[in-house]
């Protein structure tokens, strides 16, 4: 395969990121400047930015690969990653915006008036962020070595380096329009080749799914498919609300009402995007069944089905889209993780933000080169499971239940988050294991989420004296529409 | 012949503020509920918990419907294996639902939720600001 076009695509995306980063320093000097400026951003732009940051390597490459490998059961992955926003909409979006929190630790502090809960949330944000970043860097390595034959760490180093540089210079900080553009770039990069491939598929007689092909039948593929399917559903639907880089975007809505509208648009944008991975998986099953077990189907299909110069150009487009996916998600995550490390773990100065950025990128990069290569969507799924077993109960109970106490929140975060993290570590380091133990560890959400909720509720009921003092005022703040003139208390998030 | 005074246009009438003599008295008579909420009186708390309860019931309703659909589908495929291979226009039913129809259903659900949630908030605002 001629590598020239693919390399050109990657270089173009990287250059654009660096240029935008350098230019952005002048546009967005401080966090609050950005937040104030973004108050004029419409829900469509805001939602595109969320989509741009959210659609990672797992969505762009991983889902199609897993669908090709395991068949119909994996269709739940994109369904859950979209449906999670419906759960987020009804349970979290407007109250969270009204809380005024920039980050999850901010929310924990505002609601529970406790620095212990805040610190614990910070640790969890960092862990989830690292777990999410690691497979992005691994995929970057896979893509770059597919396109150019470079060693597998090179792609990860390239993405990690450019992201760190941009975050350090302050450029990529949170430019809504850049992230919004990334969504449309990714959509185009997947849709245009798909149109051509569907035409090619049509001209070859449009073969359908053969009757009796077990690949297309749900509840097959993996061991313990029923348990795994339900656990996957729970993790994805409840984990979305606990992702640190998604949450920060909700602050850029002017009010709770706009936050709801933005979520509705996000649902539409993601729904449109996630129609495509299933088709890639299906075409892969028809024409490239040998690629099962890898994340390469999206990159390889256009060249195989189209061929010639057009095929190479389409491959270059897909490659560029994949790098856009690595860059935008990694930037969003790095900013969130570095902000939390600098503010809550290193205590704040500009210098500590530099160290924090290095830590935010270096740790997952080291993990990425050291750990075994697992399918990217599986590892990201584990990050969702941790979020669903820690931040989901904290947010849901914090917003809707007055009797949540500091002790309850701490216990729930420690037990739920701890169990989920332990399962993730065992799976990544020594898995996959066989039998029931393996299924329970590979898809932990079905048991860690209920345990986390139960611990939080029981411990809160046992410690009624530890209900935060200003809970009534906080509830007014979370739930009354902004048009009402009521006292919402004077809590403000600390500036990064 | 001379026009009556009120039909003459060459003279602008003097502007007068129109007020009701009872406004001030009416205002003093009752607290607005917003003040009850600010002072966290029993009345204020009752209003607040009614808002939270209404919104929570709505959220719970949406989540229940969602759970029934989403958790019901694998159960349906498990209990009625013939559904797994049923075809609509040549495409297996699970694919029609999971790779297509479920996305517009999410969007419609979200839209209906937002309409009702905003309606609840409007009612609350009217209730609270009524004097």
């Amino acid at each position: 395969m001629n590598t020239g076009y693919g390399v050109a695509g990657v270089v173009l995306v990287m250059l654009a990121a660096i240029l935008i980063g350098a230019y952005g320093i002048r546009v967005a000097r401080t966090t609050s400047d950005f937040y104030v400026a973004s108050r004029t951003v419409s829900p469509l732009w805001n939602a595109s930015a969320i989509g741009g940051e959210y659609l990672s390597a797992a969505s762009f490459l991983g889902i199609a690969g897993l669908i090709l490998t395991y068949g119909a059961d994996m269709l739940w992955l994109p369904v859950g990653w979209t449906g999670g926003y419906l759960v987020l909409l009804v349970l979290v979006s407007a109250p969270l915006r009204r809380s005024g929190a920039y980050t999850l630790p901010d929310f924990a502090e505002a609601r529970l008036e406790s620095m212990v809960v805040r610190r614990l949330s910070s640790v969890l944000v960092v862990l989830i962020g690292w777990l999410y970043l690691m497979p992005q860097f691994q995929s970057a390595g896979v893509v770059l070595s597919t396109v150019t034959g470079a060693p597998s760490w090179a792609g990860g180093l390239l993405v990690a380096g450019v992201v760190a540089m941009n975050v350090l210079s302050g450029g990529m900080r949170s430019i809504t329009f850049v992230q919004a553009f990334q969504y449309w770039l990714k959509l185009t990069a997947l849709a245009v080749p798909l149109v051509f491939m569907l035409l090619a598929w049509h001209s070859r007689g449009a073969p359908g799914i053969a009757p009796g092909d077990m690949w297309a039948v749900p509840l097959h593929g993996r061991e313990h498919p029923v348990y795994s399917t339900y656990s996957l559903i729970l993790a994805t639907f409840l984990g979305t609300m606990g992702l640190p880089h998604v949450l920060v975007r909700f602050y850029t809505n002017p009010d709770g009402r706009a936050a709801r509208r933005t979520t509705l648009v996000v649902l539409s944008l993601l729904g449109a995007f996630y129609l495509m991975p299933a088709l890639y998986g299906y075409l892969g099953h028809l024409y490239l069944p040998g690629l099962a077990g890898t994340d390469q189907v999206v990159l390889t299909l256009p060249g195989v089905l189209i061929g010639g110069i057009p095929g190479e150009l389409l491959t270059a487009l897909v490659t560029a889209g994949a790098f856009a996916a690595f860059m935008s998600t990694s930037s969003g995550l790095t900013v969130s993780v570095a902000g939390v490390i600098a503010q809550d773990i290193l205590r704040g100065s500009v210098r500590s933000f530099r160290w924090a950025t290095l830590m935010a990128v270096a740790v997952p990069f080291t993990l990425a080169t050291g750990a075994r290569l697992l399918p990217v969507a599986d590892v990201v799924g584990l990050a969702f499971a941790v979020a669903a077993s820690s931040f989901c109960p904290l947010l849901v109970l914090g917003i809707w239940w007055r009797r949540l106490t500091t002790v309850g929140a701490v216990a729930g975060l420690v037990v739920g988050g701890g169990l989920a993290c332990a399962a993730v570590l065992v799976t990544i380091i020594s898995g996959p294991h066989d039998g029931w133990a393996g299924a329970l560890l590979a898809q932990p959400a079905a048991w860690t989420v209920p345990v986390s909720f139960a611990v939080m509720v029981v411990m809160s009921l046992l410690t009624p004296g530890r209900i935060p003092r200003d809970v009534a005022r906080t509830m007014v703040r979370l739930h009354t529409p902004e048009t009402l003139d009521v006292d919402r208390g004077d809590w403000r998030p600390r500036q990064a | 012949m001379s026009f009556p005074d009120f039909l003459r246009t060459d003279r602008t009438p003097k502007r007068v503020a129109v007020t009701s003599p009872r406004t001030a008295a009416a205002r003093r008579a009752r607290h607005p509920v917003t003040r009850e909420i600010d002072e966290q009186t029993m009345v204020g708390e009752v209003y607040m918990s009614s808002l939270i309860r209404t919104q929570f019931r709505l959220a719970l309703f949406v989540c229940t419907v969602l759970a029934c659909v989403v958790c019901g589908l694998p159960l349906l495929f498990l209990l009625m294996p013939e559904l797994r291979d049923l075809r609509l226009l040549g495409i297996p039913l699970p694919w029609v639902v999971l790779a297509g129809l479920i996305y517009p259903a999410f969007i419609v659900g979200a839209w209906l939720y937002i309409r009702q949630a905003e309606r609840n908030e409007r009612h609350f605002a009217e209730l609270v600001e009524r004097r």
Side-chain angles (χ1 to χ4, degrees):
Chain A
M1 161 169 133
N2 183 348
T3 59
Y5 296 116
V7 173
V10 173
V11 167
L12 220 61
V13 167
M14 290 300 183
L15 265 182
I18 293 172
L19 282 178
I20 289 164
Y23 174 70
I25 303 168
R26 265 161 268 146
V27 181
R29 195 157 284 284
T30 66
T31 319
S32 58
D33 275 355
F34 159 68
Y35 285 128
V36 174
S38 61
R39 294 303 174 81
T40 53
V41 174
S42 73
L44 177 63
W45 277 106
N46 234 324
S48 305
I50 293 178
E53 222 154 35
Y54 186 65
L55 294 172
S56 67
S59 303
F60 197 88
L61 305 172
I63 294 175
L66 283 184
I67 290 177
L68 168 63
T69 311
Y70 298 108
D73 280 342
M74 290 298 125
L75 291 173
W76 281 107
L77 211 53
V79 169
W81 283 346
T82 314
Y85 279 92
L86 184 54
V87 181
L88 187 147
L89 166 71
V90 302
L91 287 174
V92 174
S93 65
L96 185 75
R97 171 60 195 93
R98 286 172 181 152
S99 77
Y102 290 163
T103 63
L104 279 163
D106 279 344
F107 174 83
E109 186 197 332
R111 172 63 178 82
L112 290 153
E113 299 158 34
S114 146
M115 288 310 283
V116 180
V117 186
R118 183 185 174 104
R119 294 261 153 72
L120 202 56
S121 310
S122 308
V123 171
L124 279 162
V125 163
V126 173
L127 290 179
I128 294 173
W130 281 345
L131 189 58
Y132 213 121
L133 277 168
M134 182 189 91
Q136 310 296 327
F137 295 156
Q138 280 186 327
S139 299
V142 170
V143 173
L144 200 69
S145 65
T146 309
V147 174
T148 66
S152 63
W153 49 264
L157 189 66
L158 185 64
V159 170
V162 173
V163 166
M165 221 166 71
N166 267 333
V167 172
L168 280 178
S169 69
M172 275 299 254
R173 186 162 254 172
S174 303
I175 307 166
T176 307
F177 289 98
V178 177
Q179 295 287 12
F181 171 72
Q182 303 267 20
Y183 168 79
W184 296 101
L185 176 63
K186 282 180 249 187
L187 189 78
T188 315
L190 220 47
V192 172
L194 186 63
V195 169
F196 283 99
M197 290 192 305
L198 285 176
L199 288 175
W201 166 78
H202 191 76
S203 69
R204 295 179 187 193
I209 295 172
D213 185 349
M214 292 316 272
W215 175 82
V217 174
L219 303 177
H220 275 278
R222 294 185 171 189
E223 259 190 294
H224 304 290
V226 179
Y227 167 82
S228 297
T229 303
Y230 277 112
S231 200
L232 180 78
I233 289 174
L234 210 60
T236 49
F237 276 82
L238 299 181
T240 306
M241 69 175 74
L243 297 180
H245 60 306
V246 169
L247 212 98
V248 76
R249 287 253 155 239
F250 274 84
Y251 194 82
T252 61
N253 291 294
D255 54 24
R257 201 163 164 260
R260 286 199 192 110
R261 275 148 203 270
T262 297
T263 319
L264 175 66
V265 184
V266 171
L267 263 174
S268 321
L269 296 180
L270 292 183
F273 182 88
Y274 281 136
L275 291 174
M276 296 185 291
L279 291 171
Y280 272 86
Y282 167 63
L283 290 175
H285 179 66
L286 279 181
Y287 299 111
L288 288 169
L291 276 184
T294 69
D295 286 326
Q296 313 223 4
V297 58
V298 172
L299 296 172
T300 321
L301 260 180
V304 171
L305 256 95
I306 312 286
I309 300 274
E312 276 164 24
L313 285 174
L314 291 176
T315 309
L317 181 60
V318 174
T319 312
F323 265 84
F326 306 143
M327 292 297 301
S328 54
T329 305
S330 306
S331 302
L333 281 163
T334 305
V335 171
S336 303
V337 171
V340 165
I341 293 182
Q343 203 174 20
D344 292 321
I345 298 172
L346 299 178
R347 317 265 153 100
S349 62
V350 175
R351 244 186 87 197
S352 69
F353 186 76
R354 285 189 194 135
W355 280 111
T357 307
L358 286 183
M359 277 166 71
V361 176
V363 173
F365 175 69
T366 315
L367 289 175
T369 47
R372 287 176 309 116
L373 188 63
L374 293 163
V376 54
D378 272 346
V379 183
V380 168
L382 290 172
F384 273 76
V386 176
S389 350
S390 53
F391 287 127
C392 169
L394 182 73
L395 284 167
V396 171
L397 294 175
I399 288 170
W400 299 105
W401 196 45
R402 281 162 197 263
R403 288 153 79 189
L404 178 68
T405 67
T406 331
V407 179
V410 169
L413 287 179
V414 168
V415 174
L419 284 175
C421 283
V424 167
L425 278 182
V426 172
T427 305
I428 290 184
I429 294 172
S430 64
H433 298 276
D434 296 329
W436 264 110
L440 290 174
L441 290 172
Q443 293 285 353
W447 54 280
T448 53
V449 174
V451 165
S452 180
F453 266 102
V455 168
M456 229 178 245
V457 169
V458 170
M459 288 307 285
S460 295
L461 290 177
L462 288 178
T463 53
R466 303 293 297 277
I467 294 178
R469 209 161 40 88
D470 285 334
V471 62
R473 185 82 65 217
T474 310
M475 284 299 180
V476 171
R477 177 194 191 97
L478 293 179
H479 292 284
T480 50
E482 284 86 346
T483 48
L484 282 184
D485 176 28
V486 287
D487 180 3
R488 297 183 160 85
D490 51 8
W491 181 85
R492 291 281 173 277
R494 289 174 295 167
Q495 294 276 315
Chain B
M1 176 188 161
S2 75
F3 288 108
D5 254 8
F6 69 91
L7 285 179
R8 290 180 55 180
T9 50
D10 57 339
R11 204 175 57 179
T12 49
K14 221 171 133 190
R15 286 159 61 99
V16 212
V18 182
T19 52
S20 151
R22 284 185 40 77
T23 321
R27 246 191 212 137
R28 224 172 292 127
R30 270 196 292 162
H31 292 305
V33 178
T34 46
R35 215 171 112 191
E36 304 273 356
I37 292 174
D38 286 349
E39 290 168 4
Q40 299 183 4
T41 61
M42 290 292 276
V43 179
E45 290 300 293
V46 168
Y47 274 92
M48 270 318 294
S49 38
S50 88
L51 169 69
I52 296 176
R53 208 177 312 120
T54 316
Q55 295 289 50
F56 186 59
R57 277 195 193 139
L58 174 62
L60 213 58
F61 174 71
V62 177
C63 288
T64 313
V65 173
L66 181 71
C68 286
V69 172
V70 161
C71 297
L73 280 170
L75 198 67
L76 209 63
F77 294 139
L78 183 71
L79 297 178
M80 304 173 70
E82 66 272 18
L83 279 184
R84 302 182 200 175
D85 241 356
L86 193 72
R87 303 251 164 167
L88 280 180
L89 304 170
I91 306 166
L93 181 70
W95 286 72
V96 174
V97 177
L98 293 181
L101 292 181
I102 202 162
Y103 295 106
F106 283 158
I107 296 166
V108 171
W111 183 72
L112 289 174
Y113 164 79
I114 289 177
R115 217 176 54 156
Q116 189 58 42
E118 286 184 351
R119 195 177 292 164
N120 291 346
E121 278 173 2
R122 242 182 348 259
H123 281 174
F124 179 76
E126 281 163 14
L127 205 66
V128 165
E129 284 179 326
R130 195 174 55 196
R131 300 186 198 284

